[in-house]
Amino acid sequence: GAGVSQSPRYKVAKRGQDVALRCDPISGHVSLFWYQQALGQGPEFLTYFQNEAQLDKSGLPSDRFFAERPEGSVSTLKIQRTQQEDSAVYLCASSISGRDSEQYFGPGTRLTVT
Amino acid sequence: AQSVTQLGSHVSVSEGALVLLRCNYSSSVPPYLFWYVQYPNQGLQLLLKYTSAATLVKGINGFEAEFKKSETSFHLTKPSAHMSDAAEYFCAVRNSGGSNYKLTFGKGTLLTVNP
C-alpha cells in the first residue's frame, strides 16, 4: 500500500517568505509526527498529533512554526518569515497509534532558505 | 532527558567485511531502542527495535543488535557488508513516561562500502 507522502520534495524560499509543507499519512493512522533534520544531524522532534488534536508541540523552535491537522488526516507544517536557520529536511511520520507502534517516515521536504 | 550517542560519524568497510556501528544511550529507565536506515533522498526505514524482550535483536537485511545494559550500548552489526548497505544509520531511543511516543535520534553514522 501507499506509504507516507510529502510535498513538495524540495522547496527554495527567500528569507522572510512563508512556506507550507504537506504530509499525507498512511490511511487509518491515528498519529502523526513532524521532525526537523538539519544537515549532518539526526531528526529532532517538532510536534505530535493524535487525530486532529495537537498533543505536543514542545519541539517547535519558535512561534513562526505552526502545524495543523484539521480533519485528522493530512497535515501541514507552516513556517512564517523563514530564516536561514530554518533550512533543513522536514520529515513526517505516522503510526497506527501513538505510544507503542512503529513510526513510518515519509521521504521528507528539503527546505533551503536563501 | 534521554539521549543517544553514535560513535563515529563515518564508517568505511570493504564488501564482505564485518559492519559495526556503535550506539550508546542514557536513560534512567529501561528504554526502547531502535536502529533506522536512511538511503539518499528517502525517509527513514526501521531496521530493528529492542523492547525489553530478547537482548539480541534480529532485523531486516541481515542486521542485528545486542542490548547491553551494563554498557548502556545497542551496537548494530552485520557479519558481511554488501554494497547495498551503503546508507546513513540512526540509533534512536523512545522516551519513557508521559511522552513515550517521541523518538530521540543520534547524529547518525554514514556507512560506505568499498568494492
Side-chain angles (χ1 to χ4, degrees):
Chain A
V4 177
S5 60
Q6 295 185 243
S7 61
R9 292 292 313 277
Y10 303 91
K11 177 69 178 178
V12 178
K14 292 186 177 179
R15 190 174 59 162
Q17 285 185 330
D18 298 347
V19 298
L21 313 180
R22 176 187 170 107
C23 173
D24 284 82
I26 294 173
S27 178
H29 277 196
V30 168
S31 297
L32 186 144
F33 308 81
W34 284 98
Y35 292 85
Q36 180 190 57
Q37 185 177 15
L39 187 65
Q41 303 294 316
E44 292 190 358
F45 172 83
L46 292 178
T47 187
Y48 161 53
F49 289 86
Q50 187 169 353
N51 295 306
E52 69 278 3
Q54 189 175 21
L55 300 185
D56 187 343
K57 54 181 182 179
S58 62
L60 296 177
S62 77
D63 59 6
R64 297 185 295 104
F65 286 70
F66 173 76
E68 61 182 5
R69 194 187 185 197
E71 298 179 357
S73 178
V74 171
S75 177
T76 303
L77 176 66
K78 298 179 179 178
I79 308 173
Q80 297 177 325
R81 306 181 302 282
T82 53
Q83 303 294 317
Q84 283 196 317
E85 61 263 28
D86 301 335
S87 295
V89 175
Y90 291 86
L91 295 167
C92 176
S94 70
S95 67
I96 291 177
S97 66
R99 299 188 179 277
D100 296 323
S101 58
E102 179 181 345
Q103 295 182 25
Y104 294 84
F105 284 81
T109 295
R110 181 178 298 277
L111 173 65
T112 303
V113 181
T114 61
Chain B
Q2 297 177 329
S3 66
V4 167
T5 302
Q6 291 185 241
L7 299 176
S9 61
H10 186 195
V11 170
S12 181
V13 300
S14 298
E15 191 173 18
L18 171 71
V19 175
L20 171 61
L21 304 182
R22 300 177 186 274
C23 173
N24 289 87
Y25 67 92
S26 66
S27 174
S28 58
V29 297
Y32 284 6
L33 294 160
F34 305 81
W35 275 99
Y36 283 85
V37 61
Q38 187 175 34
Y39 297 100
N41 298 316
Q42 295 187 27
L44 299 168
Q45 180 182 7
L46 182 66
L47 275 178
L48 49 80
K49 62 182 178 183
Y50 166 75
T51 57
S52 73
T55 57
L56 183 62
V57 181
K58 294 187 183 299
I60 61 172
N61 300 340
F63 285 92
E64 63 182 35
E66 185 173 8
F67 173 72
K68 292 187 176 180
K69 184 178 179 180
S70 61
E71 299 177 7
T72 62
S73 68
F74 190 57
H75 301 331
L76 182 71
T77 60
K78 181 174 180 178
S80 178
H82 192 272
M83 296 295 290
S84 61
D85 294 327
E88 187 142 28
Y89 292 79
F90 293 93
C91 182
V93 60
R94 190 163 71 201
N95 290 14
S96 59
S99 60
N100 60 352
Y101 45 81
K102 187 186 302 186
L103 292 172
T104 300
F105 289 87
K107 292 186 176 183
T109 298
L110 180 65
L111 175 67
T112 58
V113 182
N114 304 307

